[in-house]
């Protein structure tokens, strides 16, 4: 189908973009990679009056490291996030997640800021943000806000973002030398949205794993940190962790897949990821090549 | 077509002037904001090799190269072409850059109705350019074309054609 009629502007600065959003209230929306927004326009599921294109704003894309933090600009394309040498070295979890996000042509254009702002519960970057203790950096007309990922994803396509605010960056603390991670995703076909997915981080010492963070996606109306399961993994009890998941996840009703089946898949991927984080070197966990 | 349109158009409008490089030529036109790049390329420039299947990013038939990268023409607005370098299957064909790939598609019977073919060729062109002489595994080829639907061939012949081209290019590179 064809998109409804709308106006378009391509501001050359963040301030100009914020001013446009403020002036047009709820009728204006930011346009990032367009890989979700333009689909909803073409399907006429949305009818904004104005698209404010973020693509020409200098400084919104790019990856840098300072003071123990890797900063990923909101307009950094999925592909550039996952293939960046700094990300591959410091945040291998993100590099492992990349091949699971859609297909090459969509990864070439979609952005990390767009994924985070959209908050589709079955997607990879929001879960990586939770597992990696990321901070979402947001600019509004008045001020900048820094929101911990745990307080950012509030529900189905719902975030802490206020109308008129723009995500400017996602910041990840650099994991320490004892960090381990794991990533698993099950989907029907390569590049499909997840049926069940898990992004996990932890620290490994002589006594086992500590600081375990298990961020499940595709298993509730938002990405979920499974805390009871994480505590069980820290105690070395993988079976107990798998058992705890029924109390922590809330798989969606889906005619193609029963909630109980999804929960089963969550236990399966937890078993894989936990086994790997407990036994194997930190670099293990890449399911298959890009 | 106003020739005095500003180079950087930041105005709020339902229609904009755009200028970009299309298959090696500098072009300029007016385009409504709501027109996606696929319709602009087909309607204004007659490049009907840009096939439209689903218009929501799923089928891959509309794939073109934007600044050297494969992009869904149905998920980019025509106005966003401003300043970009865009190549369609027509441009890739005329330049001879994918002649070997096209010959391999022909030889392997990697097309039947041909609807998916432009998108497959553009997607494969990006993969082959990225491999730069390395031979991608069949699994990597399948992952690369996972966003391109073919309802006719069953994919095996397409994977064969891309693999054959990659091998031939790698062999040529070693010989040189
Ligand atoms: C066929 C297909 C398969 C896909 N599969 C997957 C998948 O498996 N995993 C996955 O993660 N994604 C998938 N996607 C979605 C894709 O990754 C999108 O790129 C992503 O969800 C949104 O990013 P975007 O930059 O394209 O944002 P857009 O589509 O431009 O915007 C999405 C929403 O976020 C808002 N927004 C965007 N940027 C900002 C910002 N900086 N500040 C505030 N608001 C903003 C927009 O106003 C809009 O409401 C798929 C898409 C398609 C078409
Ligand atoms: S028409 Fe663009 S992906 Fe199907
Ligand atoms: S040849 Fe008919 S869709 Fe691929």
């Amino acid at each position: 189908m064809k998109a409804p009629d709308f106006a378009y502007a391509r501001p050359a600065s963040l301030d100009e973009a914020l001013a446009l959003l403020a002036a047009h209230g709820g009728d204006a929306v930011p346009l990032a990679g367009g890989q979700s927004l333009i689909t909803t326009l073409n399907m006429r599921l949305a009818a904004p009056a104005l698209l404010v294109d973020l693509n020409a704003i200098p400084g919104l894309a790019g990856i840098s490291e300072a003071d123990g933090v890797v900063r990923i600009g909101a307009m950094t394309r999925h592909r550039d996030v996952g293939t960046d040498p700094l990300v591959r070295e410091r945040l291998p979890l993100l590099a492992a997640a990349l091949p699971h996000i859609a297909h090459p042509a969509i990864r070439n254009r979609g952005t990390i800021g767009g994924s985070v702002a959209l908050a589709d519960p079955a997607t990879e970057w929001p879960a990586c943000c939770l597992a990696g203790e990321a901070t979402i950096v947001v600019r509004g007309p008045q001020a900048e806000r820094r929101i911990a990922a745990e307080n950012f994803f509030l529900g189905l396509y719902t975030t802490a973002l206020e109308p008129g605010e723009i995500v400017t960056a996602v910041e990840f603390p650099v994991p320490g030398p004892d960090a381990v991670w794991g990533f698993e995703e099950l989907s029907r076909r390569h590049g499909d949205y997840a049926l069940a997915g898990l992004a996990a981080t932890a620290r490994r010492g002589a006594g086992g794993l500590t600081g375990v963070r298990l961020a499940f996606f595709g298993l509730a109306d938002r990405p979920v940190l499974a805390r009871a399961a994480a505590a069980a993994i820290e105690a070395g009890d993988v079976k107990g962790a798998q058992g705890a998941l029924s109390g922590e996840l809330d798989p969606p009703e889906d005619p193609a897949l029963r909630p109980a089946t999804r929960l089963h898949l969550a236990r399966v991927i937890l078993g894989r990821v936990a086994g790997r984080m407990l036994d194997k070197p930190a670099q293990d966990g890449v399911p298959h090549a890009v | 077509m106003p020739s005095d349109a500003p180079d950087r158009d930041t105005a709020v409008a339902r229609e904009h002037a755009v200028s970009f490089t299309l298959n090696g030529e500098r072009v300029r036109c007016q385009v409504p904001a709501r027109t996606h790049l696929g319709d602009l390329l087909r309607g204004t420039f007659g490049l009907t090799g840009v096939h439209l299947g689903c218009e929501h990013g799923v089928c891959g038939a509309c794939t073109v190269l934007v600044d050297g990268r494969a992009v869904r023409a149905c998920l980019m607005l025509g106005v966003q072409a401003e300043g970009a370098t865009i190549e369609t299957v027509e441009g890739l064909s005329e330049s001879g850059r994918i002649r070997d790939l096209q010959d391999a598609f022909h030889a392997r019977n990697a097309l039947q109705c041909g609807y998916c073919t432009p998108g497959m060729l553009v997607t494969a062109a990006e993969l082959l350019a990225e491999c730069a002489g390395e031979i991608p595994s069949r699994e990597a080829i399948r992952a690369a074309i996972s966003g391109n639907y073919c309802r006719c061939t069953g994919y095996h012949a397409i994977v064969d054609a891309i693999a054959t081209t990659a091998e031939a290019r790698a062999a040529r590179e070693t010989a040189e």
Side-chain angles (χ1 to χ4, degrees), chain A residues 43-69:
Chain A
M43 292 193 276
R44 300 217 169 187
L45 298 172
L50 171 66
L51 300 194
V52 178
D53 191 347
L54 307 181
N55 283 278
I57 299 174
L60 272 190
I63 298 168
S64 57
E65 180 181 350
D67 304 325
V69 169

mmCIF file of all heavy atoms in Angstrom, chain A residues 43-69:
data_model
loop_
_atom_site.group_PDB
_atom_site.id
_atom_site.type_symbol
_atom_site.label_atom_id
_atom_site.label_comp_id
_atom_site.label_asym_id
_atom_site.label_seq_id
_atom_site.Cartn_x
_atom_site.Cartn_y
_atom_site.Cartn_z
ATOM 1 N N MET A 43 1.515 0.766 5.480
ATOM 2 C CA MET A 43 0.343 -0.062 5.817
ATOM 3 C C MET A 43 -0.784 0.786 6.401
ATOM 4 O O MET A 43 -1.813 0.243 6.820
ATOM 5 C CB MET A 43 0.751 -1.164 6.795
ATOM 6 C CG MET A 43 1.667 -2.192 6.142
ATOM 7 S SD MET A 43 1.885 -3.689 7.127
ATOM 8 C CE MET A 43 3.174 -3.196 8.234
ATOM 9 N N ARG A 44 -0.556 2.070 6.454
ATOM 10 C CA ARG A 44 -1.539 3.035 6.979
ATOM 11 C C ARG A 44 -1.965 2.719 8.404
ATOM 12 O O ARG A 44 -3.119 2.887 8.781
ATOM 13 C CB ARG A 44 -2.753 3.122 6.050
ATOM 14 C CG ARG A 44 -2.322 3.581 4.659
ATOM 15 C CD ARG A 44 -3.313 4.493 4.025
ATOM 16 N NE ARG A 44 -2.723 5.093 2.817
ATOM 17 C CZ ARG A 44 -3.310 6.037 2.121
ATOM 18 N NH1 ARG A 44 -4.479 6.516 2.484
ATOM 19 N NH2 ARG A 44 -2.718 6.538 1.065
ATOM 20 N N LEU A 45 -0.995 2.269 9.187
ATOM 21 C CA LEU A 45 -1.262 2.041 10.609
ATOM 22 C C LEU A 45 -0.956 3.297 11.414
ATOM 23 O O LEU A 45 -1.221 3.357 12.610
ATOM 24 C CB LEU A 45 -0.415 0.869 11.125
ATOM 25 C CG LEU A 45 -0.701 -0.472 10.458
ATOM 26 C CD1 LEU A 45 0.310 -1.526 10.879
ATOM 27 C CD2 LEU A 45 -2.119 -0.930 10.794
ATOM 28 N N ALA A 46 -0.339 4.292 10.760
ATOM 29 C CA ALA A 46 -0.041 5.561 11.429
ATOM 30 C C ALA A 46 -0.241 6.669 10.410
ATOM 31 O O ALA A 46 -0.105 6.447 9.206
ATOM 32 C CB ALA A 46 1.402 5.570 11.936
ATOM 33 N N ALA A 47 -0.577 7.854 10.898
ATOM 34 C CA ALA A 47 -0.791 8.984 9.989
ATOM 35 C C ALA A 47 -0.290 10.282 10.629
ATOM 36 O O ALA A 47 -1.058 11.188 10.914
ATOM 37 C CB ALA A 47 -2.269 9.098 9.625
ATOM 38 N N PRO A 48 1.023 10.369 10.853
ATOM 39 C CA PRO A 48 1.565 11.606 11.423
ATOM 40 C C PRO A 48 1.459 12.741 10.394
ATOM 41 O O PRO A 48 1.430 12.478 9.192
ATOM 42 C CB PRO A 48 3.023 11.261 11.704
ATOM 43 C CG PRO A 48 3.342 10.141 10.764
ATOM 44 C CD PRO A 48 2.063 9.386 10.540
ATOM 45 N N ALA A 49 1.397 13.975 10.898
ATOM 46 C CA ALA A 49 1.312 15.118 9.977
ATOM 47 C C ALA A 49 2.690 15.496 9.448
ATOM 48 O O ALA A 49 2.828 16.009 8.343
ATOM 49 C CB ALA A 49 0.680 16.311 10.691
ATOM 50 N N LEU A 50 3.724 15.213 10.260
ATOM 51 C CA LEU A 50 5.085 15.643 9.899
ATOM 52 C C LEU A 50 6.111 14.601 10.317
ATOM 53 O O LEU A 50 6.088 14.117 11.454
ATOM 54 C CB LEU A 50 5.402 16.977 10.600
ATOM 55 C CG LEU A 50 6.846 17.479 10.514
ATOM 56 C CD1 LEU A 50 7.221 17.831 9.074
ATOM 57 C CD2 LEU A 50 7.060 18.680 11.431
ATOM 58 N N LEU A 51 7.017 14.277 9.398
ATOM 59 C CA LEU A 51 8.165 13.445 9.746
ATOM 60 C C LEU A 51 9.390 14.344 9.887
ATOM 61 O O LEU A 51 9.708 15.102 8.969
ATOM 62 C CB LEU A 51 8.453 12.389 8.673
ATOM 63 C CG LEU A 51 7.377 11.366 8.326
ATOM 64 C CD1 LEU A 51 7.992 10.237 7.503
ATOM 65 C CD2 LEU A 51 6.728 10.803 9.579
ATOM 66 N N VAL A 52 10.047 14.245 11.035
ATOM 67 C CA VAL A 52 11.258 15.029 11.279
ATOM 68 C C VAL A 52 12.446 14.086 11.098
ATOM 69 O O VAL A 52 12.730 13.240 11.953
ATOM 70 C CB VAL A 52 11.240 15.645 12.696
ATOM 71 C CG1 VAL A 52 12.525 16.411 12.959
ATOM 72 C CG2 VAL A 52 10.016 16.550 12.869
ATOM 73 N N ASP A 53 13.124 14.202 9.969
ATOM 74 C CA ASP A 53 14.198 13.272 9.597
ATOM 75 C C ASP A 53 15.460 13.584 10.401
ATOM 76 O O ASP A 53 15.979 14.702 10.352
ATOM 77 C CB ASP A 53 14.476 13.415 8.087
ATOM 78 C CG ASP A 53 15.372 12.304 7.558
ATOM 79 O OD1 ASP A 53 15.978 11.580 8.371
ATOM 80 O OD2 ASP A 53 15.466 12.172 6.315
ATOM 81 N N LEU A 54 15.959 12.583 11.128
ATOM 82 C CA LEU A 54 17.161 12.787 11.960
ATOM 83 C C LEU A 54 18.444 12.493 11.180
ATOM 84 O O LEU A 54 19.541 12.638 11.716
ATOM 85 C CB LEU A 54 17.103 11.872 13.197
ATOM 86 C CG LEU A 54 15.834 11.946 14.071
ATOM 87 C CD1 LEU A 54 15.957 10.995 15.264
ATOM 88 C CD2 LEU A 54 15.591 13.370 14.566
ATOM 89 N N ASN A 55 18.318 12.081 9.913
ATOM 90 C CA ASN A 55 19.483 11.569 9.186
ATOM 91 C C ASN A 55 20.536 12.609 8.829
ATOM 92 O O ASN A 55 21.676 12.252 8.538
ATOM 93 C CB ASN A 55 19.040 10.837 7.924
ATOM 94 C CG ASN A 55 18.497 9.450 8.236
ATOM 95 O OD1 ASN A 55 19.259 8.518 8.392
ATOM 96 N ND2 ASN A 55 17.185 9.328 8.361
ATOM 97 N N ALA A 56 20.172 13.895 8.813
ATOM 98 C CA ALA A 56 21.160 14.914 8.420
ATOM 99 C C ALA A 56 21.748 15.643 9.620
ATOM 100 O O ALA A 56 22.506 16.600 9.455
ATOM 101 C CB ALA A 56 20.511 15.912 7.461
ATOM 102 N N ILE A 57 21.434 15.188 10.826
ATOM 103 C CA ILE A 57 21.945 15.878 12.018
ATOM 104 C C ILE A 57 23.356 15.386 12.321
ATOM 105 O O ILE A 57 23.558 14.193 12.560
ATOM 106 C CB ILE A 57 21.017 15.633 13.229
ATOM 107 C CG1 ILE A 57 19.618 16.181 12.922
ATOM 108 C CG2 ILE A 57 21.593 16.265 14.488
ATOM 109 C CD1 ILE A 57 18.594 15.876 13.989
ATOM 110 N N PRO A 58 24.331 16.290 12.299
ATOM 111 C CA PRO A 58 25.707 15.845 12.531
ATOM 112 C C PRO A 58 25.891 15.375 13.971
ATOM 113 O O PRO A 58 25.252 15.888 14.882
ATOM 114 C CB PRO A 58 26.554 17.099 12.268
ATOM 115 C CG PRO A 58 25.630 18.202 11.933
ATOM 116 C CD PRO A 58 24.229 17.744 12.101
ATOM 117 N N GLY A 59 26.728 14.360 14.147
ATOM 118 C CA GLY A 59 27.096 13.926 15.498
ATOM 119 C C GLY A 59 26.156 12.928 16.142
ATOM 120 O O GLY A 59 26.422 12.458 17.246
ATOM 121 N N LEU A 60 25.062 12.578 15.480
ATOM 122 C CA LEU A 60 24.144 11.598 16.098
ATOM 123 C C LEU A 60 24.560 10.151 15.824
ATOM 124 O O LEU A 60 24.056 9.238 16.461
ATOM 125 C CB LEU A 60 22.704 11.812 15.611
ATOM 126 C CG LEU A 60 21.818 12.792 16.384
ATOM 127 C CD1 LEU A 60 20.374 12.688 15.910
ATOM 128 C CD2 LEU A 60 21.886 12.569 17.887
ATOM 129 N N ALA A 61 25.450 9.945 14.853
ATOM 130 C CA ALA A 61 25.911 8.584 14.560
ATOM 131 C C ALA A 61 27.375 8.463 14.933
ATOM 132 O O ALA A 61 28.112 9.444 14.889
ATOM 133 C CB ALA A 61 25.718 8.265 13.076
ATOM 134 N N GLY A 62 27.774 7.265 15.326
ATOM 135 C CA GLY A 62 29.185 7.035 15.605
ATOM 136 C C GLY A 62 29.384 6.398 16.968
ATOM 137 O O GLY A 62 28.507 6.455 17.832
ATOM 138 N N ILE A 63 30.546 5.775 17.136
ATOM 139 C CA ILE A 63 30.836 5.004 18.343
ATOM 140 C C ILE A 63 32.165 5.475 18.922
ATOM 141 O O ILE A 63 33.141 5.635 18.197
ATOM 142 C CB ILE A 63 30.906 3.498 17.996
ATOM 143 C CG1 ILE A 63 29.530 3.034 17.461
ATOM 144 C CG2 ILE A 63 31.322 2.672 19.213
ATOM 145 C CD1 ILE A 63 29.536 1.680 16.818
ATOM 146 N N SER A 64 32.177 5.739 20.242
ATOM 147 C CA SER A 64 33.428 6.183 20.863
ATOM 148 C C SER A 64 33.519 5.628 22.280
ATOM 149 O O SER A 64 32.514 5.205 22.855
ATOM 150 C CB SER A 64 33.464 7.712 20.913
ATOM 151 O OG SER A 64 32.328 8.187 21.621
ATOM 152 N N GLU A 65 34.733 5.636 22.829
ATOM 153 C CA GLU A 65 34.923 5.147 24.188
ATOM 154 C C GLU A 65 35.615 6.219 25.010
ATOM 155 O O GLU A 65 36.580 6.838 24.556
ATOM 156 C CB GLU A 65 35.784 3.878 24.184
ATOM 157 C CG GLU A 65 36.013 3.324 25.585
ATOM 158 C CD GLU A 65 36.893 2.078 25.617
ATOM 159 O OE1 GLU A 65 37.180 1.522 24.538
ATOM 160 O OE2 GLU A 65 37.295 1.688 26.722
ATOM 161 N N ALA A 66 35.094 6.475 26.211
ATOM 162 C CA ALA A 66 35.751 7.402 27.138
ATOM 163 C C ALA A 66 35.344 7.048 28.558
ATOM 164 O O ALA A 66 34.194 6.667 28.809
ATOM 165 C CB ALA A 66 35.346 8.846 26.825
ATOM 166 N N ASP A 67 36.283 7.126 29.469
ATOM 167 C CA ASP A 67 36.020 6.912 30.902
ATOM 168 C C ASP A 67 35.234 5.629 31.173
ATOM 169 O O ASP A 67 34.274 5.631 31.941
ATOM 170 C CB ASP A 67 35.240 8.108 31.487
ATOM 171 C CG ASP A 67 35.963 9.430 31.248
ATOM 172 O OD1 ASP A 67 37.208 9.406 31.274
ATOM 173 O OD2 ASP A 67 35.288 10.447 30.998
ATOM 174 N N GLY A 68 35.646 4.544 30.547
ATOM 175 C CA GLY A 68 35.027 3.252 30.827
ATOM 176 C C GLY A 68 33.630 3.080 30.270
ATOM 177 O O GLY A 68 32.879 2.204 30.707
ATOM 178 N N VAL A 69 33.255 3.939 29.300
ATOM 179 C CA VAL A 69 31.921 3.848 28.718
ATOM 180 C C VAL A 69 32.033 3.849 27.191
ATOM 181 O O VAL A 69 32.764 4.659 26.626
ATOM 182 C CB VAL A 69 31.043 5.040 29.171
ATOM 183 C CG1 VAL A 69 29.750 5.099 28.374
ATOM 184 C CG2 VAL A 69 30.746 4.942 30.671
#
